[in-house]
Amino acid sequence: MAPHFKDLRRDDIRRSEYGSRRRTLAAYALVAMGTVLLSMVVDWHLVLAWGLAYVFAEGCTAGLLHGQVPRNPPLRYWLSLVSYVARGLIFMSLPFYLIAVDSPPALCFAAGSGLVGVLLFTLQRTHLAIELVIADSLRVGLLTLGLVAVMLGKLDQTADMILVVFSAIASAGFYIGSLVAGWHNQRELREAQNRYAIAQKARALGQFAGGVAHDFNNQLTAILGNLDLFDELEEPADRDAALHDCRVAAERAALTVQQLLATTGRTRLWSQPLAMEGFLYQLAEVLGDLLDPDMEIEVQPPEEPLVAQVDRDILETCAIQLCLNAQDATRGAGRVLIRTERRRSAPSLNPAPEAPPPYIVLIIEDNGPGVPADALPYLAEPFYTTKGATEGTGLGLAAVAGFARQSGGGLMLQAAPQGGLSAQIYLRESDPATAADATDTQKGSLQLSGS
């Protein structure tokens, strides 16, 4: 069921007031410290009553903004708003009282600082709801009227009264104007972000649709052309060659479909514990036969046993794809460094991985010319490529990223220390109970293959 409109407005208030946990805890800590200090110099009965009233109002506000009681959404919304206004008035009542009763200068200064602090607190919100803008303006208006009334009662000179009234109106007007300007700027920023997001989605969709159409058009052209040619040819050898080319084009189309499935995270995976040390050495043997002779492959074994929960065959396919990209970047005469490590977090991975940390990371780096910084965020998008128009479809990295996300991790692309590209595949770490068995099994297979 879609959320009620008033619940959406209430969520705006909640994000405005409780959007930052650190800011909220800091505000609570300052209020608690201020209450303790005031109880030492003011009648503690008064401070205790004020503190209990504020805590009650704060609890009501937090409960109404975070809970689902009462069940009527409009009633929840209005009660939340009323509770917010009441909490602010209760907080300002003690500083206002200390100023009104001619307290000592230190107490007046502390009271004024508390009022200024709460006003600054409301101005620095990163998310402003229009309801809070109106509520805060109302509170400041009432506070200003109260302070002006107190001050006018203590003044005899007309000039002093005019100065007080003018200063109060100017200060309140500046505060309210700042609130309205901040809300207006945030609204314009959100609208601009939404327009940019829509434009990015349209660009990605157009690029994706155009890439799919282009690839399948090429493959269907090859298939249909060879079938037409088959009907015209008479020599068996020529007809066999036409069928072979037709089959190659069909296999290429099937590969495109597989890459599309991997890109969308819908590949059927057979995840099993995989000892990364044995996998790296077996991968190096495959790459030695697959890559050009001038390509240098360096494998750095991990310092500790690392076991990932992953589909081995697809991981090997992804690693080969990355190494082929490195070969293209270095024009067949470069160096590829392959290593793996355990990482306790993935703060820079976007979107965040589904699997909890720690992660096993397969890192493949080359010493090629690298990729411009502005192109890095787009490399893993479907059909985005830095190659020429006829040199690549741009689906390879997108498929690797889709597989990594489906495996619980993700793909991170960065500039390598030696100037090339560093591709890092984050994978789910295997259950420690199965890690030892996987490591022993792969060590045994390595010994057999080397005997």
Side-chain angles (χ1 to χ4, degrees), residues 300-320:
Q300 288 185 358
E303 298 179 355
E304 56 180 332
L306 301 179
V307 179
Q309 187 73 21
V310 66
D311 187 312
R312 184 200 181 284
D313 293 337
I314 301 183
L315 178 62
E316 182 179 80
T317 302
C318 291
I320 292 173

Side-chain angles (χ1 to χ4, degrees), residues 119-394:
L119 297 181
L120 291 176
F121 179 81
T122 57
L123 280 177
Q124 55 85 45
R125 293 189 183 103
T126 56
H127 180 90
L128 277 174
I130 186 60
E131 292 86 352
L132 296 193
V133 172
I134 297 173
D136 290 337
S137 300
L138 176 63
R139 291 191 310 185
V140 168
L142 294 174
L143 176 65
T144 302
L145 290 175
L147 290 176
V148 168
V150 170
M151 293 303 298
L152 291 181
K154 300 177 181 181
L155 300 175
D156 298 326
Q157 300 294 327
T158 304
D160 294 340
M161 295 181 181
I162 294 174
L163 180 62
V164 167
V165 172
F166 174 79
S167 300
I169 294 175
S171 299
F174 180 79
Y175 172 80
I176 295 173
S178 298
L179 273 180
V180 174
W183 169 77
H184 182 71
N185 291 337
Q186 288 188 12
R187 187 182 66 173
E188 288 187 341
L189 176 61
R190 286 194 294 270
E191 290 177 353
Q193 290 173 338
N194 289 336
R195 289 194 299 269
Y196 178 76
I198 292 172
Q200 287 294 94
K201 288 181 181 179
R203 182 195 66 83
L205 180 60
Q207 179 176 291
F208 184 83
V212 171
H214 177 75
D215 269 21
F216 276 104
N217 180 67
N218 291 341
Q219 292 151 7
L220 289 174
T221 299
I223 294 173
L224 295 175
N226 281 287
L227 289 176
D228 291 339
L229 188 61
F230 178 84
D231 293 335
E232 301 294 333
L233 295 174
E234 297 181 358
E235 294 295 331
D238 294 337
R239 302 184 77 179
D240 290 343
L243 286 178
H244 176 267
D245 292 342
C246 186
R247 185 178 294 107
V248 169
E251 292 173 351
R252 192 176 296 119
L255 177 60
T256 300
V257 172
Q258 293 175 4
Q259 290 178 327
L260 287 171
L261 290 174
T263 300
T264 57
R266 297 190 178 185
T267 305
R268 181 175 296 178
L269 301 181
W270 299 96
S271 297
Q272 294 179 341
L274 176 64
M276 297 304 293
E277 182 177 6
F279 171 77
L280 291 185
Y281 285 115
Q282 293 173 3
L283 176 64
E285 293 180 0
V286 174
L287 293 173
D289 298 331
L290 185 64
L291 299 182
D292 293 343
D294 293 335
M295 289 295 296
E296 177 185 352
I297 305 169
E298 179 182 350
V299 173
Q300 288 185 358
E303 298 179 355
E304 56 180 332
L306 301 179
V307 179
Q309 187 73 21
V310 66
D311 187 312
R312 184 200 181 284
D313 293 337
I314 301 183
L315 178 62
E316 182 179 80
T317 302
C318 291
I320 292 173
Q321 175 68 55
L322 293 172
C323 291
L324 290 175
N325 287 354
Q327 177 175 268
D328 293 340
T330 58
R331 300 189 180 279
R335 176 174 173 269
V336 177
L337 173 63
I338 306 175
R339 56 191 177 90
T340 186
E341 62 185 42
R342 175 186 286 112
R343 292 184 182 175
R344 300 296 178 183
S345 62
S348 302
L349 203 59
N350 187 22
E354 294 181 359
Y359 305 101
I360 304 300
V361 186
L362 176 64
I363 305 170
I364 299 177
E365 298 176 349
D366 63 67
N367 62 343
V371 177
D374 57 348
L376 273 176
Y378 303 105
L379 280 184
E381 288 189 3
F383 297 102
Y384 180 90
T385 179
T386 56
K387 301 177 183 179
T390 60
E391 297 180 18
T393 65

